[in-house]
Amino acid sequence: MKVPATILLLALTCSLVTASTTRPIVKATTGPRPYYLIDNLPEGALKTKLESCADDRMVPSDFSIGHRGAALQFPEHTRESYVAAARTGAGIIECDVTFTKDKELVCRHAQNDLHTTTNILLTPLAAKCFKPFTPYDPATKSPATAECRTTDITLAEFKTLVGKMDGANENALTVEEYVAGTPLFRTDLYTPPAKGGTLMTHKESIELFKQLGVKMTPEAKEAVVEWPYDGFTRADFVQKIVDEYQALKVNASDVFIQSFILGDLAYLTTSYPDGFGATAVYLDSADTIKDVPSKATLASWKASGINIWAPPIWVLLQAKDGQIAPSQAAIDAKAVGLDLIAWSLERSGFMTNPDHGGWYYQTLNSIITRESDILVTLHVLAQDVGLRGIFTDWPGTVTYYANCFGLARAQC
């Protein structure tokens, strides 16, 4: 039998991809969460469609972006969290980038969060923390506090720590009570106290992501130390992020550098207009509705070379006639030619809490009534707003949706 040339070409292409990359994650395992949310949906077209995909083979999707890895169930920015994100189908994974005392790049959500995301307070390195642990004061009702920065320690010292689920007990009288502050909607199941998660340098995250076959979205974090830091400028910091991708021969098209700072975007779009600048992501820091940018502002960002705008979920949505609908900002952004990414799904705790999704859903709080409204929100963002991707603390939920609605990455 003669084999068509197109099939031979596809086979050759797949063999080349297999030979040139290490991709152990070719089948996504979403876990039970999306099924739980689907069961919670009211009867209707969305539930019927999602139920029809229950037995489908799931594959990774670039629509599913691992926010700090898979932080709903694994300690954020640890190797374990990153691997879990890839296994649950994230096609893109985030390393928030900051730096240590000796100016080495590491993956942490903030320069000053070691006290809530690692075991530093339980180690001798606690003596180096910017602010030592202070217990809760019953007399004044002052909360327990601490502040430990990556710039308090060297890279070698950083690598002796282990990751834990982000959280702190503000009513703690002891350090042990303080670090045992995991929120109820998360879990310590995969963080045994004797081990914890493996902390990562930025370079190590790149090497791991290459092995997993995923794309990468580092965020150039804002610093709590003053610039320049021991001669290290903000531009030096952003450039060092780029340098580590170039040194490891990662294509700029596979890297989406994020920042809340327009100056960082200007640096990237000017220095690398056809590379890292073209894929750079402007993170919007809008806190309330008054902070949402106008169409003119959105157009000015696009004209400056920014192609991707990433606001929080609520900025792109509104409650209209009792339903979730695209916001004017979402409509305006698409009109001026911006691609959209939103943050962050599966990070709000229980949707049925009195705050009905809280800050991330502030334009929808009045109509959020059940856990499965996560899927309704996702559906509107994907189909009506037209996102190119969404950050999520449990990629499996988005991966399931993406596969069911044809948004999954093509696989050989």
Side-chain angles (χ1 to χ4, degrees):
M1 181 179 70
K2 184 177 181 180
V3 180
T6 53
I7 294 179
L8 287 173
L9 179 60
L10 178 60
L12 176 59
T13 302
C14 290
S15 66
L16 288 173
V17 169
T18 303
S20 63
T21 62
T22 301
R23 185 174 174 77
I25 312 300
V26 294
K27 178 182 178 182
T29 303
T30 64
R33 180 146 180 85
Y35 299 92
Y36 164 78
L37 294 174
I38 293 166
D39 289 344
N40 186 249
L41 278 169
E43 297 301 323
L46 179 58
K47 182 170 185 172
T48 299
K49 173 62 176 175
L50 290 171
E51 285 180 332
S52 73
C53 302
D55 296 324
D56 289 0
R57 180 182 186 272
M58 301 288 168
V59 297
S61 171
D62 291 353
F63 188 73
S64 180
I65 306 173
H67 182 240
R68 314 186 197 181
L72 183 65
Q73 297 194 41
F74 290 82
E76 64 184 50
H77 294 308
T78 61
R79 187 183 193 281
E80 293 77 9
S81 188
Y82 292 154
V83 171
R87 286 175 174 162
T88 53
I92 305 172
I93 301 178
E94 177 187 50
C95 163
D96 288 326
V97 187
T98 187
F99 55 92
T100 59
K101 185 176 182 178
D102 45 352
K103 293 174 280 190
E104 295 297 330
L105 304 185
V106 294
C107 299
R108 286 290 93 197
H109 178 66
Q111 196 172 62
N112 60 339
D113 73 358
L114 294 181
H115 52 290
T116 64
T117 64
T118 76
N119 67 331
I120 190 169
L121 290 175
L122 301 175
T123 75
L125 291 174
K128 297 190 174 187
C129 286
F130 182 75
K131 292 181 181 178
F133 170 72
T134 301
Y136 170 75
D137 187 335
T140 63
K141 300 191 183 306
S142 299
T145 60
E147 183 179 344
C148 302
R149 301 176 173 182
T150 56
T151 46
D152 292 336
I153 57 177
T154 65
L155 176 60
E157 291 169 328
F158 174 85
K159 291 294 287 181
T160 67
L161 302 176
V162 297
K164 74 175 192 70
M165 295 301 283
D166 185 17
N169 177 6
E170 293 185 345
N171 296 318
L173 298 177
T174 67
V175 168
E176 289 76 13
E177 290 176 347
Y178 183 77
V179 300
T182 302
L184 291 176
F185 65 92
R186 297 191 181 127
T187 178
D188 288 313
L189 182 63
Y190 304 110
T191 318
K195 185 178 183 298
T198 307
L199 301 192
M200 304 285 286
T201 66
H202 178 238
K203 182 179 178 181
E204 287 171 339
S205 78
I206 298 171
E207 293 169 335
L208 176 63
F209 295 162
K210 287 180 68 175
Q211 292 169 3
L212 294 172
V214 299
K215 296 177 183 178
M216 311 167 200
T217 183
E219 181 188 337
K221 298 302 297 186
E222 298 185 52
V224 294
V225 296
E226 291 186 5
W227 298 106
Y229 175 77
D230 190 26
F232 192 50
T233 67
R234 180 77 193 182
D236 292 336
F237 171 53
V238 175
Q239 185 59 53
K240 188 166 184 174
I241 293 173
V242 171
D243 289 345
E244 294 197 346
Y245 287 102
Q246 292 180 323
L248 291 170
K249 296 180 169 50
V250 179
N251 290 330
S253 60
D254 290 336
V255 181
F256 303 85
I257 300 176
Q258 320 161 59
S259 180
F260 283 101
I261 299 174
L262 280 171
D264 293 348
L265 275 291
Y267 179 85
L268 291 167
T269 55
T270 300
S271 302
Y272 304 96
D274 299 317
F276 295 100
T279 56
V281 179
Y282 179 48
L283 294 167
D284 198 308
S285 59
D287 187 50
T288 64
I289 196 72
K290 66 180 177 59
D291 303 318
V292 176
S294 66
K295 185 175 183 179
T297 297
L298 293 168
S300 72
W301 293 341
K302 177 64 178 176
S304 73
I306 294 172
N307 294 315
I308 306 173
W309 176 46
I313 289 170
W314 64 265
V315 170
L316 298 175
L317 299 171
Q318 64 174 323
K320 185 176 182 180
D321 300 325
Q323 303 295 319
I324 300 173
S327 68
Q328 188 60 50
I331 296 168
D332 290 343
K334 298 297 285 188
V336 302
L338 287 168
D339 280 352
L340 300 175
I341 292 174
W343 51 274
S344 294
L345 210 65
E346 302 275 34
R347 192 162 184 83
S348 303
F350 300 110
M351 302 291 279
T352 49
N353 278 349
D355 64 359
H356 299 285
W359 182 86
Y360 285 95
Y361 294 83
Q362 62 183 272
T363 52
L364 307 174
N365 295 150
S366 63
I367 58 173
I368 295 292
T369 60
R370 56 175 74 207
E371 295 301 317
S372 58
D373 283 333
I374 289 172
L375 291 175
V376 180
T377 299
L378 178 59
H379 188 53
V380 175
L381 286 169
Q383 304 302 323
D384 299 333
V385 172
L387 289 189
R388 68 176 290 161
I390 186 166
F391 284 96
T392 173
D393 277 24
W394 189 249
T397 301
V398 179
T399 299
Y400 185 108
Y401 178 90
N403 275 263
C404 199
F405 280 88
L407 301 174
R409 181 190 300 172
Q411 298 289 308
C412 289

